[in-house]
Amino acid sequence: MVIKKGGFWASFLIYGEGMRWYGIPIFSGAFLLFLVQPLIARLLTPAFGGSASVWICCLVFFQIMLVLGYAYSHLLFRRLPADSQGWVHGVVGLAAMALMVVNTIGWGHPLLAGWAIRIQAGRPLLPLLMALLGGVCLPFLWLSATSPLVQSWFVRRFPKDEPYRLYALSNAGSLLGLLFFPFVLEPIFGSVAHGAIFAVSFAILWVALLRLRPKTGTTGVEAPVLEGPDEESRPFKPLGVLALSGLGVLFFMAMTVQLTAKMGNTPLLWVLPLGLYLISFILPFEGRAWVRGKAFQTAMALLFLFVLLEPIVAIRVKGLIAIPIWLQIGVLVFSGCTLVHTYLFSLRPNPSKLTLFYLFLAIGGSIGGIFIGIITPLLYNQYFEFPTALLLVSLVMIPSLMASSVSKTLAWSAGAIGVGLAVWGLVFIQFRPGKYFRDFYGTYEVHRTTQNGRSRLELTNSYTIHGGMDLQEPLRPTTYFGIHSGFWWAMYVARARHPNLRIGLIGLGAGTSALYSKKGDHLVVYEISSQVLEIAGPHPNSFPFLSSSEAEVEIVEGDARIRMQEELSKGGREFDILLVDAFSGGNIPWHLLTAESLRLYQRHLKEDGLLVMHVSNRLPLDRVVAATAKEVSMNSIGIYHPSKENPSPLGIGDEFSRYVVLSGKLDSLLDGYMMGASSWLVTWKPLDAHLMSIPEMVKREEFGQRVLAGMHPWEDAHCSVFPLLFKKSVFKLPNPDASVKTPAAPTPGTP
C-alpha cells in the first residue's frame, strides 16, 4: 500500500483497512493525551490558589513526560521483537488503569492523587509535581508512547509508505481532544464525569491496541531496524531538531503566559495557544507542498510582522482600533510556529529514525518548556518571556524563509524587524521605572503615576490595577474602595450594628480595605502570596494601609478556602463582614466563587453577617454570584459605583466598581441606605406581603429576576467560563426604574 496523490486525508478515507486500523488508534490516543492536560490542570488549579502558573507547570510536566514516553517507545522499537512490544505496552497500560482504580477508590477521581496535595504557602511546586506524578504519570506515559509506537508498527507493515503523515493525524487528534474539553466536556459534565469518561475511553483504547499488536510472521515484523533505499538522502540532524522543536514550545508557552496574565486563567484560554501550536504542526507534517511553498511562507511572515506592528501603529493613528489581545496572540502563535515547524519538517530523517526523531522532538520541547516554566520565573521578576521568544523566532525566520525560496530581501527584512522589536521590548522592560516582584502566583508591579495633577502609587498584577495610594492623602481609600463603593456601604451598615467588628479579608492586594478597620476591631487577612505580604503586609515596602491599622491584625498565609476549612475544626470565625477580593491577573480565582465556597463562608459569618464579593471584571461574575447565592439559600444585592441608583461621582483615584453583597438573613440587606444604593435584589425565597407592598423593593426584585435569567450556579465540579462569554453584566442592562432615588448618604468619610 503506497500513499500517492491526494494527500494523507484522502488516503485515509480511500485506502483499505490497513491505514484505518493504524490511523484510528493513533488519532484516539492523541485525543486522550491532550484531553487529559486541561482536565487535570483544571482539577488541580483550586488547590493551588487559582494561579495561571498551574497550567504552565503542568505543560512543563507534560513535556518531560512526553520525552519519557517517546524514549520508552524508541527502546521498545529498537530492543524488542515486534510481537513482544505489544505485550509490554499492554502491561504498562494495565498498570496505568490500576493506578486510576486506586485513585478512584481513595479520592473519588481516577486522576486525582489527593495524598499529594499538601500545599505550603510560597512553596507549591513540589506538591503540584507530586499530584501530577500520582495522578497522571502512568496514563500520560502510556498515551504519549502509543502514537510513535503504532507508527513504527505501521512502518514495519508498510515499509514503502511515508509515516510522517500519521504524525499530522496524531496532531489532529490532539487538537480535537484539546478543544473537546472547554467547549463540550467542561460546560456539560462535572469533574467526576470528566474522569470517568477519560478512564473508560482509556480502557477501550487499551483493548484495541492489544488486538492491533504485531503478530509473529507478519511482513517485516522481526526486522529490528528499517533501512530505506534512500537512507543518505535525509540524514538525521539532532541539534537542528532539538533547537527548532524547543523554539516552537518556547514561543507558544511565552504567548500563553502573556494571554493568561492579561485575560485570566481558564481552560478556554489555555487551549487557544496550544491548539494553534498543534495546527502549526499539522500543516507541514501533513505533506502538502503548498505549505512549504514561497507564497504561503511569505504570507506567514507578513502576517507575523503585521500583528507585531499594528498595535504600535494603532497607538499613533487616531481612530485605528487595535487588534484584541487574544487575536494578536493567536495569530502570532500560528504564524510564528508554522514558520518554525515548516523548517523542522525539512529536517525529518528517513523512517528508520522515526522513533528517534520523535524522541528528539520531545527533548527539544521539554527544554523550551523548562526554560519558560521554571528558569524564567527564577531569573526574572518581570515578563521577559515574550521578547525573548520573539527574538529567537525572528532569528530562525531568516533561514526558514530562505529554505522556502522566499527572497533574501524579505527574509532578512522580516527577521531584522522582529529582532529590532524584540530588543526594544527587552530594553523597555528592563529600564522602565517601578519595583517588580514575582512568585508562583503572578508578577506584581509597584509604580508611580500622575492623575489629575496628583501623584499616585499603584499596584498592578498582570497589567490590572489592584490598588493605589494618593501620595497627597496617603490614608484615603481609593480605586475600588472609595466612598460609596459597595464595600463602603457594607462597612457603613456593619459598623452601625456593631461598633467593634470582626472583619475577614480574602486577598490583601494593596491593603486599601484595611483602612476601614478601627481600634477594637479584629482583622483577619487571608493571603496566598508572600510577595504581596512584602508589598503591603504588616511590614510593607510600598503600601502602609495594613500596617497603619489600629485593629488587631491576624495574617493567615495560604489559600483562603483551604485555611478556612482547616479553621472549622476550631469553630467558625464569626465574622461581621467578610470581603472576597482575591485576584489572579485580571480575574477572580473561580474556585472562590462556587457554591461550596459560599457555604464555607457562611459557616464563618455571624447570623446577620455580610459577605461582600468584589466582582469588578470583564465577565458578568455578578450574575454568577447571584445565581450561586440563591442555590445556597443566601440573599444578594448588586451595588455598582457609579450608577443611577448610586450616582455620586468617582473620587480622585477611584475606579468603577462592581460588588455583590450577600447574607443568609434578608433583614441584613434591607438597610435603607445600602438598599437604596443597590441596583437589584435576589432572594432565595419569595418576599413576604409587607415587602411586596414597597414599590422600590418590588422593582429591584423584578430586576433581580433578569439577573438570574439564563444563569446557572457554579459548583466545584461544574463551572465553565465559556457560557459567560455570550452574556453581559446586569450593569449594562436598562435601568429598571429611573425614578428611584438614592437616599441621602451618611456623612462622608470612613464608616
Side-chain angles (χ1 to χ4, degrees):
M1 179 184 115
V2 179
I3 300 175
K4 298 182 180 179
K5 293 182 179 180
F8 172 74
W9 308 110
S11 65
F12 178 76
L13 296 174
I14 295 172
Y15 284 88
E17 294 184 1
M19 173 62 72
R20 295 177 188 173
W21 272 113
Y22 287 93
I24 290 174
I26 288 174
F27 182 92
S28 302
F31 177 90
L32 292 177
L33 185 69
F34 277 77
L35 173 65
V36 77
Q37 295 184 34
L39 192 160
I40 188 64
R42 190 242 184 248
L43 192 65
L44 293 176
T45 294
F48 295 91
S51 170
S53 297
V54 173
W55 173 241
I56 298 299
C57 291
C58 284
L59 286 177
V60 175
F61 174 83
F62 295 138
Q63 287 291 337
I64 295 173
M65 290 305 302
L66 199 64
V67 173
L68 298 178
Y70 282 3
Y72 155 69
S73 66
H74 177 68
L75 290 175
L76 285 185
F77 178 65
R78 291 288 174 173
R79 303 298 181 189
L80 293 180
D83 55 344
S84 300
Q85 294 171 17
W87 287 114
V88 171
H89 197 50
V91 170
V92 175
L94 189 63
M97 288 189 286
L99 176 64
M100 287 191 280
V101 170
V102 170
N103 285 335
T104 302
I105 294 173
W107 306 101
H109 195 287
L111 302 176
L112 180 63
W115 57 269
I117 302 176
R118 297 289 184 269
I119 184 169
Q120 300 178 27
R123 296 187 294 275
L125 282 177
L126 181 58
L128 176 58
L129 176 61
M130 296 302 294
L132 290 168
L133 285 171
V136 295
C137 175
L138 281 178
F140 194 90
L141 176 72
W142 189 84
L143 289 170
S144 63
T146 294
S147 178
L149 190 60
V150 174
Q151 288 181 59
S152 71
W153 295 347
F154 175 82
V155 170
R156 288 181 181 275
R157 184 75 181 272
F158 306 103
K160 294 183 180 180
D161 287 343
E162 172 63 76
Y164 290 105
R165 287 172 176 172
L166 286 168
Y167 189 58
L169 178 63
S170 172
N171 280 303
S174 301
L175 178 62
L176 184 61
L178 194 65
L179 298 178
F180 187 75
F181 182 79
F183 291 108
V184 179
L185 204 61
E186 187 186 29
I188 298 176
F189 301 101
S191 58
V192 175
H194 299 167
I197 292 170
F198 174 82
V200 171
S201 303
F202 187 97
I204 293 173
L205 179 62
W206 179 80
V207 172
L209 282 183
L210 282 185
R211 294 179 61 84
L212 185 66
R213 73 186 189 282
K215 311 297 191 298
T216 303
T218 54
T219 304
V221 80
E222 298 299 337
V225 180
L226 299 175
E227 302 293 345
D230 57 344
E231 185 66 30
E232 296 301 321
S233 63
R234 296 209 309 253
F236 183 46
K237 299 179 180 179
L239 293 181
V241 172
L242 282 175
L244 292 175
S245 61
L247 179 57
V249 171
L250 184 148
F251 189 65
F252 106 78
M253 285 186 63
M255 296 296 98
T256 302
V257 170
Q258 288 289 114
L259 183 63
T260 54
K262 290 189 175 184
M263 294 192 65
N265 181 39
T266 68
L268 189 63
L269 296 178
W270 298 344
V271 304
L272 174 63
L274 183 52
L276 292 169
Y277 167 82
L278 291 173
I279 294 174
S280 75
F281 251 122
I282 293 171
L283 287 176
F285 278 83
E286 197 273 338
R288 300 285 186 175
W290 61 266
V291 175
R292 305 187 299 277
K294 178 179 178 180
F296 184 76
Q297 294 296 299
T298 300
M300 288 294 99
L302 294 176
L303 187 62
F304 187 83
L305 293 178
F306 171 76
V307 175
L308 284 177
L309 295 172
E310 195 274 344
I312 300 175
V313 176
I315 293 174
R316 300 185 178 278
V317 179
K318 187 176 181 179
L320 186 63
I321 300 175
I323 300 174
I325 181 64
W326 63 268
L327 186 57
Q328 291 180 34
I329 288 177
V331 173
L332 285 174
V333 170
F334 174 68
S335 56
C337 288
T338 298
L339 291 169
V340 171
H341 293 152
T342 302
Y343 196 18
L344 176 62
F345 178 76
S346 68
L347 301 184
R348 72 196 188 285
N350 282 23
S352 65
K353 300 294 191 300
L354 179 82
T355 55
L356 187 63
F357 174 67
Y358 289 151
L359 175 59
F360 273 74
L361 276 182
I363 293 174
S366 66
I367 293 172
I370 290 171
F371 179 77
I372 294 295
I374 297 177
I375 295 177
T376 52
L378 294 176
L379 290 180
Y380 309 130
N381 56 7
Q382 300 185 63
Y383 287 128
F384 281 96
E385 290 91 334
F386 172 54
T388 302
L390 175 61
L391 176 64
L392 296 175
V393 168
S394 300
L395 291 173
V396 169
M397 190 186 303
I398 299 171
S400 175
L401 292 173
M402 293 174 65
S404 298
S405 302
V406 176
S407 68
K408 291 184 178 180
T409 301
L410 176 59
W412 280 100
S413 299
I417 292 173
V419 168
L421 289 174
V423 171
W424 176 83
L426 289 169
V427 172
F428 173 78
I429 293 174
Q430 178 64 39
F431 293 103
R432 62 180 175 175
K435 295 187 290 185
Y436 300 89
F437 311 86
R438 187 169 185 173
D439 62 12
F440 182 83
Y441 304 101
T443 296
Y444 312 95
E445 175 185 351
V446 178
H447 63 274
R448 287 199 177 201
T449 185
T450 301
Q451 185 181 37
N452 297 327
R454 298 168 72 98
S455 296
R456 289 173 44 79
L457 196 65
E458 288 185 346
L459 169 67
T460 61
N461 171 240
S462 303
Y463 314 101
T464 301
I465 296 175
H466 286 288
M469 178 172 65
D470 187 323
L471 296 179
Q472 279 69 45
E473 299 178 81
L475 297 183
R476 178 175 62 87
T478 60
T479 59
Y480 311 101
F481 304 94
I483 294 176
H484 295 138
S485 66
F487 184 63
W488 185 89
W489 281 110
M491 282 295 297
Y492 171 80
V493 170
R495 185 73 69 188
R497 293 178 191 153
H498 307 285
N500 297 326
L501 296 176
R502 295 185 61 82
I503 306 169
L505 304 179
I506 296 179
L508 176 61
T512 312
S513 54
L515 289 172
Y516 288 95
S517 62
K518 294 183 176 181
K519 187 175 182 179
D521 293 344
H522 182 75
L523 177 62
V524 181
V525 179
Y526 298 91
E527 177 54 55
I528 198 170
S529 171
S530 58
Q531 292 289 358
V532 170
L533 289 175
E534 289 186 19
I535 294 169
H539 307 287
N541 56 35
S542 299
F543 295 95
F545 303 139
L546 183 65
S547 61
S548 65
S549 173
E550 295 183 348
E552 179 187 353
V553 177
E554 179 184 351
I555 303 295
V556 181
E557 193 170 355
D559 180 80
R561 271 193 64 174
I562 295 175
R563 294 294 176 255
M564 293 178 79
Q565 188 66 47
E566 294 171 348
E567 290 170 352
L568 285 178
S569 61
K570 303 176 183 177
R573 286 282 192 171
E574 294 290 312
F575 290 126
D576 295 292
I577 187 167
L578 175 62
L579 170 67
V580 179
D581 186 40
F583 58 83
S584 178
N587 287 275
I588 304 167
W590 57 262
H591 72 291
L592 298 178
L593 303 176
T594 62
E596 290 84 352
S597 296
L598 297 192
R599 291 189 183 99
L600 177 63
Y601 304 151
Q602 275 185 293
R603 298 178 68 181
H604 283 279
L605 285 171
K606 290 180 178 177
E607 184 180 0
D608 63 347
L610 297 177
L611 174 60
V612 184
M613 310 286 286
H614 182 201
V615 291
S616 303
N617 194 264
R618 303 180 184 91
L619 298 173
L621 296 179
D622 46 357
R623 303 180 68 182
V624 172
V625 172
T628 307
K630 186 171 183 178
E631 176 71 13
V632 300
S633 302
M634 295 188 79
N635 310 286
S636 59
I637 58 174
I639 300 179
Y640 310 114
H641 184 228
S643 65
K644 289 185 178 180
E645 297 83 10
N646 191 20
S648 62
L650 293 173
I652 296 175
D654 287 353
E655 303 283 342
F656 164 73
S657 62
R658 183 183 293 139
Y659 283 87
V660 180
V661 183
L662 307 87
S663 179
K665 191 176 180 181
L666 181 59
D667 290 346
S668 298
L669 303 178
L670 295 184
D671 177 273
Y673 293 121
M674 187 167 69
M675 180 58 68
S678 68
S679 298
W680 50 263
L681 165 69
V682 171
T683 61
W684 67 274
K685 60 183 180 180
L687 293 175
D688 60 32
H690 169 68
L691 294 176
M692 288 294 290
S693 66
I694 304 174
E696 290 82 2
M697 190 72 66
V698 173
K699 290 170 183 177
R700 281 170 170 75
E701 199 273 338
E702 289 176 350
F703 194 36
Q705 296 308 309
R706 299 169 64 184
V707 172
L708 296 177
M711 301 303 298
H712 300 282
W714 275 10
E715 299 175 350
D716 285 350
H718 197 171
C719 59
S720 174
V721 172
F722 179 60
L724 299 185
L725 299 179
F726 307 98
K727 299 182 184 297
K728 296 181 179 179
S729 168
V730 293
F731 182 74
K732 297 181 180 179
L733 295 174
N735 195 282
D737 181 26
S739 67
V740 175
K741 304 297 183 181
T742 306
T747 303
T750 303

